[in-house]
Amino acid sequence: MNAVTLVEETRAGIVENVHTGMICGVNEKIETIYYAGDSDHYTYYRSAAKPIQALPVFLSNCITKYGLTNEEAALFTASHRGESYHIAALESMLQKLPVREDELFCPYSYPLNVKPKEEMLRKNLEKRRLYHNCAGKHMGFVTVCREFGFPVEGYWEVDHPLQQQILKLLSELAELPLSEIKIGIDGCGVPVFAIPLKNMALTYLKLACPDLIKDPFLQKAVTQMINIMNEHPRIVASEDFICSVLLQDQNIVAKGGAQGVYCFGLKKERAGFALKVLNGSEDVWPVIIAGILEQISYENKQTIASLRALKPSIFKNDAGAEVGKINEKFILTGMQNTTSEIYRI
């Protein structure tokens, strides 16, 4: 495993934290055009897999059949933070879909965001499966099980027909044999997949550029899903979170996962990226992705500025005094596009 320093944090000139990891970017010719560290490193998607796990819903007629709004449908791809608009949409979905809350396999939880969690605690409200950040994904799982005639019981098991369908979709998008996909268990209890970082980047290239997908039905489903994610970015996370900031840019499809993995695709540039922060930090994602976009001369400077605003290069203490700096330290290899610096997947 070859990792590089991605971000360095200093306080009064002394290095306090170092975040190492890997970055890989691929183009439509399935070439690795940008990298830092080992692009073959096996990485678990965690919640960055949610758009792929949501595809069975978009391949079905469930959204139209049950009268879901696009805002509600975005929750199938989301790591929702438990804001009032998330809960309202989830409650509405429960009324429309053939799903009971007690059928969801995700654990009882409070919202991820502090304010809605504190509000529920003040009201002595109990944890609910609906408050779990993966609730939308699980509602999609139960819905398509009923739509396709799969058993609802055990939908979280890797040998269940729904999970096998998702594995096949991942294999197709990643252009990786099923035998080379590693499987673990995610935080919400369903299978989670690990593949080489470069293949992960390829999946997000195809999400950004569905015309690269050979199956016309899958191409149509991906197009619908990505349009909905860009239309309702705050549903995928919430205000002032990196997924929502990136999805506000109509040129970008993006989703992060736990333990420092992040993926995004660029439509106009026809490129896909995946990165892994080895210490699992999500806090430094905005710094890294802003650095990537700057190094590839990304045109939308407002998107870069919004990322910088999420994680400024100068950090302050509790009294508001400037006490340190946060800077990306990596340089992407392959930017000169010479033959020796481009490697095929």
Side-chain angles (χ1 to χ4, degrees):
M1 178 176 65
N2 176 29
V4 300
T5 298
L6 299 177
V7 175
E8 188 177 84
E9 300 181 48
T10 61
R11 188 182 297 265
I14 295 175
V15 175
E16 190 169 44
N17 290 309
V18 175
H19 304 272
T20 63
M22 307 90 169
I23 301 168
C24 182
V26 301
N27 67 7
E28 62 181 314
K29 296 180 180 179
I30 318 178
E31 296 169 333
T32 300
I33 51 172
Y34 302 111
Y35 65 93
D38 183 8
S39 59
D40 289 313
H41 179 68
Y42 263 79
T43 305
Y44 280 111
Y45 273 92
R46 304 302 300 269
S47 282
K50 281 179 176 170
I52 299 168
Q53 292 168 312
L55 281 172
V57 179
F58 290 90
L59 283 164
S60 74
N61 189 42
C62 290
I63 295 171
T64 301
K65 180 178 178 178
Y66 296 107
L68 297 185
T69 66
N70 284 351
E71 181 180 46
E72 292 164 348
L75 280 160
F76 294 129
T77 72
S79 295
H80 82 80
R81 309 287 305 187
E83 294 292 339
S84 58
Y85 49 84
H86 290 127
I87 304 306
L90 287 163
E91 293 278 18
S92 175
M93 291 167 73
L94 274 181
Q95 298 301 313
K96 296 177 179 180
L97 296 174
V99 177
R100 300 192 315 273
E101 187 171 353
D102 62 6
E103 292 178 306
L104 306 181
F105 190 68
C106 54
Y108 292 91
S109 179
Y110 283 119
L112 290 178
N113 278 359
V114 173
K115 287 184 178 179
K117 178 181 178 179
E118 289 179 344
E119 183 178 350
M120 290 178 184
L121 289 172
R122 282 194 298 270
K123 294 179 179 178
N124 293 317
L125 297 177
E126 296 183 353
K127 294 180 178 180
R128 290 178 62 180
R129 297 186 191 275
L130 207 66
Y131 299 157
H132 193 280
N133 79 95
C134 297
K137 175 178 75 176
H138 283 256
M139 291 175 76
F141 286 164
V142 174
T143 299
V144 295
C145 280
R146 292 209 158 96
E147 192 69 14
F148 297 154
F150 299 155
V152 172
E153 180 63 28
Y155 75 79
W156 51 88
E157 300 289 353
V158 70
D159 58 353
H160 188 278
L162 173 62
Q163 299 302 331
Q164 288 298 304
Q165 180 186 17
I166 292 169
L167 269 171
K168 290 176 182 177
L169 289 168
L170 173 59
S171 175
E172 180 176 348
L173 291 172
E175 300 191 15
L176 194 68
L178 287 168
S179 61
E180 296 182 28
I181 299 174
K182 312 300 182 184
I183 303 173
I185 302 298
D186 213 342
C188 65
V190 301
V192 61
F193 319 111
I195 64 175
L197 202 66
K198 60 191 178 185
N199 297 87
M200 190 177 289
L202 177 58
T203 63
Y204 269 75
L205 167 62
K206 290 183 179 179
L207 294 183
C209 304
D211 60 287
L212 297 174
I213 299 171
K214 296 177 182 178
D215 183 334
F217 297 103
L218 181 56
Q219 184 183 122
K220 181 180 179 182
V222 167
T223 301
Q224 180 190 15
M225 178 179 70
I226 298 310
N227 287 343
I228 285 173
M229 291 175 71
N230 284 133
E231 182 183 346
H232 296 283
R234 72 172 187 167
I235 291 293
V236 180
S238 69
E239 289 89 348
D240 300 324
F241 276 83
I242 185 169
C243 289
S244 299
V245 166
L246 287 172
L247 287 168
Q248 287 172 19
D249 185 332
Q250 298 299 303
N251 188 52
I252 297 179
V253 54
K255 185 72 180 70
Q259 297 303 314
V261 61
Y262 207 91
C263 304
F264 64 97
L266 304 176
K267 300 174 186 179
K268 180 180 177 181
E269 293 77 8
R270 300 181 73 79
F273 286 85
L275 66 92
K276 168 68 174 176
V277 183
L278 282 176
N279 64 7
S281 174
E282 302 173 18
D283 194 44
V284 292
W285 282 340
V287 180
I288 297 169
I289 297 173
I292 292 171
L293 294 177
E294 286 176 345
Q295 289 189 43
I296 68 172
S297 300
Y298 187 62
E299 289 183 358
N300 192 334
K301 305 306 179 187
Q302 181 55 55
T303 294
I304 297 172
S306 296
L307 291 169
R308 294 293 186 196
L310 286 178
K311 190 69 175 178
S313 59
I314 301 295
F315 67 88
K316 301 178 180 181
N317 66 8
D318 296 341
E322 295 183 359
V323 295
K325 295 182 178 180
I326 304 172
N327 292 301
E328 65 270 14
K329 305 295 290 184
F330 65 91
I331 297 176
L332 293 174
T333 302
M335 292 178 62
Q336 296 83 6
N337 290 330
T338 61
T339 302
S340 62
E341 290 172 330
I342 296 180
Y343 298 87
R344 286 193 176 276
I345 289 178

